[in-house]
Amino acid sequence: MTDTALIGQTIAGRFLITGFIGEGAMATVYRGVQESEPRDIAVKVMHQHLARDATFVGRFRREAKAASLLQHPNTVHIIDYGVDGERLYIAMELIGGQDLF
């Protein structure tokens, strides 16, 4: 089941959600556009039911902070992370290619 509820909405007043990329146990990843640049990006949004659990919120924030500190050609660049209303998100560069599965 794909979660398309955010398509057409803007996250944090800057990231327009334009499509669905994939979904995992903790979050849904969307294709988006950073309107100020403009450039294509990926936006990872934590599932709403997990956003009420302090343990999951802590994990998500640690992931975002750790990933934002990495600076290497083989890692994805984190553009921004934070909370928009009740949504926790990570905005990152969009990398083309195939899944590793």
Side-chain angles (χ1 to χ4, degrees), residues 42-64:
V43 182
K44 184 175 187 176
V45 179
M46 179 181 242
H47 296 312
Q48 288 290 96
H49 68 279
L50 297 177
R52 295 181 207 102
D53 185 317
T55 300
F56 284 104
V57 170
R59 285 182 191 168
F60 194 82
R61 287 187 171 154
R62 281 191 303 277
E63 172 190 339

PDB file of all heavy atoms in Angstrom, residues 42-64:
ATOM      1  N   ALA A  42      14.503  14.209  -1.897  1.00  0.00           N
ATOM      2  CA  ALA A  42      13.727  13.153  -1.251  1.00  0.00           C
ATOM      3  C   ALA A  42      13.379  13.657   0.145  1.00  0.00           C
ATOM      4  O   ALA A  42      14.188  14.337   0.778  1.00  0.00           O
ATOM      5  CB  ALA A  42      14.532  11.866  -1.165  1.00  0.00           C
ATOM      6  N   VAL A  43      12.175  13.356   0.595  1.00  0.00           N
ATOM      7  CA  VAL A  43      11.741  13.759   1.933  1.00  0.00           C
ATOM      8  C   VAL A  43      11.243  12.516   2.660  1.00  0.00           C
ATOM      9  O   VAL A  43      10.303  11.859   2.212  1.00  0.00           O
ATOM     10  CB  VAL A  43      10.623  14.827   1.890  1.00  0.00           C
ATOM     11  CG1 VAL A  43      10.241  15.238   3.305  1.00  0.00           C
ATOM     12  CG2 VAL A  43      11.049  16.032   1.071  1.00  0.00           C
ATOM     13  N   LYS A  44      11.902  12.202   3.770  1.00  0.00           N
ATOM     14  CA  LYS A  44      11.519  11.069   4.605  1.00  0.00           C
ATOM     15  C   LYS A  44      10.639  11.597   5.725  1.00  0.00           C
ATOM     16  O   LYS A  44      11.048  12.482   6.471  1.00  0.00           O
ATOM     17  CB  LYS A  44      12.777  10.410   5.170  1.00  0.00           C
ATOM     18  CG  LYS A  44      12.538   9.168   5.974  1.00  0.00           C
ATOM     19  CD  LYS A  44      13.887   8.565   6.358  1.00  0.00           C
ATOM     20  CE  LYS A  44      13.737   7.227   7.008  1.00  0.00           C
ATOM     21  NZ  LYS A  44      15.056   6.612   7.280  1.00  0.00           N
ATOM     22  N   VAL A  45       9.417  11.064   5.837  1.00  0.00           N
ATOM     23  CA  VAL A  45       8.457  11.532   6.845  1.00  0.00           C
ATOM     24  C   VAL A  45       8.105  10.356   7.753  1.00  0.00           C
ATOM     25  O   VAL A  45       7.630   9.308   7.286  1.00  0.00           O
ATOM     26  CB  VAL A  45       7.181  12.098   6.183  1.00  0.00           C
ATOM     27  CG1 VAL A  45       6.191  12.552   7.241  1.00  0.00           C
ATOM     28  CG2 VAL A  45       7.530  13.245   5.236  1.00  0.00           C
ATOM     29  N   MET A  46       8.322  10.542   9.047  1.00  0.00           N
ATOM     30  CA  MET A  46       8.025   9.490  10.017  1.00  0.00           C
ATOM     31  C   MET A  46       6.526   9.197  10.025  1.00  0.00           C
ATOM     32  O   MET A  46       5.711  10.114   9.926  1.00  0.00           O
ATOM     33  CB  MET A  46       8.473   9.912  11.414  1.00  0.00           C
ATOM     34  CG  MET A  46       8.173   8.897  12.491  1.00  0.00           C
ATOM     35  SD  MET A  46       8.698   9.474  14.102  1.00  0.00           S
ATOM     36  CE  MET A  46       9.892   8.219  14.463  1.00  0.00           C
ATOM     37  N   HIS A  47       6.180   7.906  10.146  1.00  0.00           N
ATOM     38  CA  HIS A  47       4.777   7.520  10.244  1.00  0.00           C
ATOM     39  C   HIS A  47       4.129   8.215  11.452  1.00  0.00           C
ATOM     40  O   HIS A  47       4.715   8.260  12.533  1.00  0.00           O
ATOM     41  CB  HIS A  47       4.628   6.005  10.392  1.00  0.00           C
ATOM     42  CG  HIS A  47       5.109   5.232   9.209  1.00  0.00           C
ATOM     43  ND1 HIS A  47       4.774   5.538   7.904  1.00  0.00           N
ATOM     44  CD2 HIS A  47       5.924   4.146   9.128  1.00  0.00           C
ATOM     45  CE1 HIS A  47       5.331   4.677   7.092  1.00  0.00           C
ATOM     46  NE2 HIS A  47       6.048   3.831   7.805  1.00  0.00           N
ATOM     47  N   GLN A  48       2.936   8.727  11.253  1.00  0.00           N
ATOM     48  CA  GLN A  48       2.224   9.497  12.285  1.00  0.00           C
ATOM     49  C   GLN A  48       2.058   8.718  13.591  1.00  0.00           C
ATOM     50  O   GLN A  48       2.230   9.277  14.667  1.00  0.00           O
ATOM     51  CB  GLN A  48       0.846   9.923  11.782  1.00  0.00           C
ATOM     52  CG  GLN A  48       0.874  11.024  10.733  1.00  0.00           C
ATOM     53  CD  GLN A  48       1.296  12.349  11.310  1.00  0.00           C
ATOM     54  OE1 GLN A  48       2.447  12.731  11.250  1.00  0.00           O
ATOM     55  NE2 GLN A  48       0.361  13.064  11.865  1.00  0.00           N
ATOM     56  N   HIS A  49       1.724   7.436  13.516  1.00  0.00           N
ATOM     57  CA  HIS A  49       1.493   6.670  14.748  1.00  0.00           C
ATOM     58  C   HIS A  49       2.774   6.502  15.563  1.00  0.00           C
ATOM     59  O   HIS A  49       2.724   6.365  16.779  1.00  0.00           O
ATOM     60  CB  HIS A  49       0.834   5.319  14.451  1.00  0.00           C
ATOM     61  CG  HIS A  49       1.705   4.348  13.718  1.00  0.00           C
ATOM     62  ND1 HIS A  49       1.880   4.398  12.351  1.00  0.00           N
ATOM     63  CD2 HIS A  49       2.453   3.323  14.169  1.00  0.00           C
ATOM     64  CE1 HIS A  49       2.703   3.430  11.983  1.00  0.00           C
ATOM     65  NE2 HIS A  49       3.068   2.762  13.067  1.00  0.00           N
ATOM     66  N   LEU A  50       3.936   6.553  14.918  1.00  0.00           N
ATOM     67  CA  LEU A  50       5.203   6.446  15.642  1.00  0.00           C
ATOM     68  C   LEU A  50       5.650   7.782  16.219  1.00  0.00           C
ATOM     69  O   LEU A  50       6.436   7.826  17.164  1.00  0.00           O
ATOM     70  CB  LEU A  50       6.294   5.892  14.724  1.00  0.00           C
ATOM     71  CG  LEU A  50       6.067   4.484  14.200  1.00  0.00           C
ATOM     72  CD1 LEU A  50       7.183   4.084  13.244  1.00  0.00           C
ATOM     73  CD2 LEU A  50       5.948   3.490  15.342  1.00  0.00           C
ATOM     74  N   ALA A  51       5.146   8.869  15.651  1.00  0.00           N
ATOM     75  CA  ALA A  51       5.541  10.209  16.106  1.00  0.00           C
ATOM     76  C   ALA A  51       5.039  10.502  17.516  1.00  0.00           C
ATOM     77  O   ALA A  51       5.468  11.472  18.136  1.00  0.00           O
ATOM     78  CB  ALA A  51       5.031  11.267  15.127  1.00  0.00           C
ATOM     79  N   ARG A  52       4.170   9.664  18.030  1.00  0.00           N
ATOM     80  CA  ARG A  52       3.668   9.832  19.405  1.00  0.00           C
ATOM     81  C   ARG A  52       4.509   9.051  20.417  1.00  0.00           C
ATOM     82  O   ARG A  52       4.278   9.133  21.611  1.00  0.00           O
ATOM     83  CB  ARG A  52       2.216   9.359  19.485  1.00  0.00           C
ATOM     84  CG  ARG A  52       1.281  10.201  18.646  1.00  0.00           C
ATOM     85  CD  ARG A  52      -0.168   9.701  18.767  1.00  0.00           C
ATOM     86  NE  ARG A  52      -0.887  10.048  17.566  1.00  0.00           N
ATOM     87  CZ  ARG A  52      -1.172   9.209  16.573  1.00  0.00           C
ATOM     88  NH1 ARG A  52      -0.826   7.952  16.644  1.00  0.00           N
ATOM     89  NH2 ARG A  52      -1.817   9.610  15.509  1.00  0.00           N
ATOM     90  N   ASP A  53       5.470   8.280  19.920  1.00  0.00           N
ATOM     91  CA  ASP A  53       6.308   7.430  20.772  1.00  0.00           C
ATOM     92  C   ASP A  53       7.695   8.064  20.911  1.00  0.00           C
ATOM     93  O   ASP A  53       8.440   8.180  19.935  1.00  0.00           O
ATOM     94  CB  ASP A  53       6.416   6.045  20.138  1.00  0.00           C
ATOM     95  CG  ASP A  53       7.164   5.045  20.990  1.00  0.00           C
ATOM     96  OD1 ASP A  53       8.215   5.403  21.559  1.00  0.00           O
ATOM     97  OD2 ASP A  53       6.715   3.894  21.073  1.00  0.00           O
ATOM     98  N   ALA A  54       8.042   8.462  22.117  1.00  0.00           N
ATOM     99  CA  ALA A  54       9.304   9.167  22.366  1.00  0.00           C
ATOM    100  C   ALA A  54      10.528   8.351  21.937  1.00  0.00           C
ATOM    101  O   ALA A  54      11.524   8.924  21.477  1.00  0.00           O
ATOM    102  CB  ALA A  54       9.411   9.540  23.831  1.00  0.00           C
ATOM    103  N   THR A  55      10.469   7.036  22.040  1.00  0.00           N
ATOM    104  CA  THR A  55      11.596   6.196  21.637  1.00  0.00           C
ATOM    105  C   THR A  55      11.843   6.300  20.138  1.00  0.00           C
ATOM    106  O   THR A  55      12.976   6.489  19.688  1.00  0.00           O
ATOM    107  CB  THR A  55      11.337   4.723  22.029  1.00  0.00           C
ATOM    108  OG1 THR A  55      11.164   4.657  23.435  1.00  0.00           O
ATOM    109  CG2 THR A  55      12.493   3.828  21.609  1.00  0.00           C
ATOM    110  N   PHE A  56      10.780   6.195  19.347  1.00  0.00           N
ATOM    111  CA  PHE A  56      10.911   6.293  17.894  1.00  0.00           C
ATOM    112  C   PHE A  56      11.315   7.700  17.469  1.00  0.00           C
ATOM    113  O   PHE A  56      12.125   7.870  16.557  1.00  0.00           O
ATOM    114  CB  PHE A  56       9.625   5.857  17.193  1.00  0.00           C
ATOM    115  CG  PHE A  56       9.437   4.374  17.185  1.00  0.00           C
ATOM    116  CD1 PHE A  56       8.539   3.780  18.046  1.00  0.00           C
ATOM    117  CD2 PHE A  56      10.167   3.560  16.325  1.00  0.00           C
ATOM    118  CE1 PHE A  56       8.366   2.397  18.055  1.00  0.00           C
ATOM    119  CE2 PHE A  56      10.005   2.184  16.325  1.00  0.00           C
ATOM    120  CZ  PHE A  56       9.104   1.603  17.195  1.00  0.00           C
ATOM    121  N   VAL A  57      10.759   8.693  18.110  1.00  0.00           N
ATOM    122  CA  VAL A  57      11.130  10.082  17.796  1.00  0.00           C
ATOM    123  C   VAL A  57      12.617  10.290  18.053  1.00  0.00           C
ATOM    124  O   VAL A  57      13.328  10.886  17.241  1.00  0.00           O
ATOM    125  CB  VAL A  57      10.268  11.083  18.609  1.00  0.00           C
ATOM    126  CG1 VAL A  57      10.809  12.488  18.488  1.00  0.00           C
ATOM    127  CG2 VAL A  57       8.819  11.020  18.143  1.00  0.00           C
ATOM    128  N   GLY A  58      13.110   9.788  19.172  1.00  0.00           N
ATOM    129  CA  GLY A  58      14.532   9.902  19.488  1.00  0.00           C
ATOM    130  C   GLY A  58      15.409   9.232  18.445  1.00  0.00           C
ATOM    131  O   GLY A  58      16.426   9.788  18.021  1.00  0.00           O
ATOM    132  N   ARG A  59      15.019   8.041  18.003  1.00  0.00           N
ATOM    133  CA  ARG A  59      15.779   7.328  16.963  1.00  0.00           C
ATOM    134  C   ARG A  59      15.808   8.117  15.661  1.00  0.00           C
ATOM    135  O   ARG A  59      16.838   8.227  15.005  1.00  0.00           O
ATOM    136  CB  ARG A  59      15.156   5.957  16.692  1.00  0.00           C
ATOM    137  CG  ARG A  59      15.413   4.944  17.733  1.00  0.00           C
ATOM    138  CD  ARG A  59      14.798   3.628  17.319  1.00  0.00           C
ATOM    139  NE  ARG A  59      14.810   2.701  18.422  1.00  0.00           N
ATOM    140  CZ  ARG A  59      14.144   1.567  18.436  1.00  0.00           C
ATOM    141  NH1 ARG A  59      13.391   1.224  17.414  1.00  0.00           N
ATOM    142  NH2 ARG A  59      14.206   0.775  19.480  1.00  0.00           N
ATOM    143  N   PHE A  60      14.654   8.630  15.288  1.00  0.00           N
ATOM    144  CA  PHE A  60      14.546   9.381  14.031  1.00  0.00           C
ATOM    145  C   PHE A  60      15.426  10.627  14.077  1.00  0.00           C
ATOM    146  O   PHE A  60      16.147  10.926  13.127  1.00  0.00           O
ATOM    147  CB  PHE A  60      13.074   9.751  13.791  1.00  0.00           C
ATOM    148  CG  PHE A  60      12.767  10.211  12.404  1.00  0.00           C
ATOM    149  CD1 PHE A  60      12.551   9.300  11.386  1.00  0.00           C
ATOM    150  CD2 PHE A  60      12.661  11.568  12.104  1.00  0.00           C
ATOM    151  CE1 PHE A  60      12.234   9.722  10.098  1.00  0.00           C
ATOM    152  CE2 PHE A  60      12.351  12.000  10.827  1.00  0.00           C
ATOM    153  CZ  PHE A  60      12.144  11.068   9.820  1.00  0.00           C
ATOM    154  N   ARG A  61      15.385  11.342  15.180  1.00  0.00           N
ATOM    155  CA  ARG A  61      16.205  12.548  15.329  1.00  0.00           C
ATOM    156  C   ARG A  61      17.693  12.223  15.341  1.00  0.00           C
ATOM    157  O   ARG A  61      18.499  12.947  14.759  1.00  0.00           O
ATOM    158  CB  ARG A  61      15.803  13.317  16.581  1.00  0.00           C
ATOM    159  CG  ARG A  61      14.485  14.015  16.408  1.00  0.00           C
ATOM    160  CD  ARG A  61      14.170  14.911  17.570  1.00  0.00           C
ATOM    161  NE  ARG A  61      12.992  15.710  17.248  1.00  0.00           N
ATOM    162  CZ  ARG A  61      12.184  16.199  18.138  1.00  0.00           C
ATOM    163  NH1 ARG A  61      12.420  16.023  19.426  1.00  0.00           N
ATOM    164  NH2 ARG A  61      11.124  16.908  17.772  1.00  0.00           N
ATOM    165  N   ARG A  62      18.076  11.139  16.021  1.00  0.00           N
ATOM    166  CA  ARG A  62      19.492  10.742  16.028  1.00  0.00           C
ATOM    167  C   ARG A  62      19.958  10.370  14.624  1.00  0.00           C
ATOM    168  O   ARG A  62      21.068  10.715  14.216  1.00  0.00           O
ATOM    169  CB  ARG A  62      19.716   9.584  16.998  1.00  0.00           C
ATOM    170  CG  ARG A  62      19.797  10.027  18.443  1.00  0.00           C
ATOM    171  CD  ARG A  62      20.280   8.922  19.368  1.00  0.00           C
ATOM    172  NE  ARG A  62      19.461   7.716  19.328  1.00  0.00           N
ATOM    173  CZ  ARG A  62      18.333   7.548  20.010  1.00  0.00           C
ATOM    174  NH1 ARG A  62      17.869   8.510  20.797  1.00  0.00           N
ATOM    175  NH2 ARG A  62      17.658   6.419  19.923  1.00  0.00           N
ATOM    176  N   GLU A  63      19.107   9.662  13.878  1.00  0.00           N
ATOM    177  CA  GLU A  63      19.434   9.312  12.497  1.00  0.00           C
ATOM    178  C   GLU A  63      19.659  10.572  11.666  1.00  0.00           C
ATOM    179  O   GLU A  63      20.635  10.683  10.931  1.00  0.00           O
ATOM    180  CB  GLU A  63      18.306   8.487  11.875  1.00  0.00           C
ATOM    181  CG  GLU A  63      18.481   8.238  10.391  1.00  0.00           C
ATOM    182  CD  GLU A  63      17.264   7.640   9.709  1.00  0.00           C
ATOM    183  OE1 GLU A  63      16.406   7.050  10.408  1.00  0.00           O
ATOM    184  OE2 GLU A  63      17.168   7.780   8.482  1.00  0.00           O
ATOM    185  N   ALA A  64      18.748  11.526  11.795  1.00  0.00           N
ATOM    186  CA  ALA A  64      18.848  12.762  11.022  1.00  0.00           C
ATOM    187  C   ALA A  64      20.110  13.538  11.390  1.00  0.00           C
ATOM    188  O   ALA A  64      20.846  14.015  10.512  1.00  0.00           O
ATOM    189  CB  ALA A  64      17.612  13.632  11.262  1.00  0.00           C
TER     190      ALA A  64
END
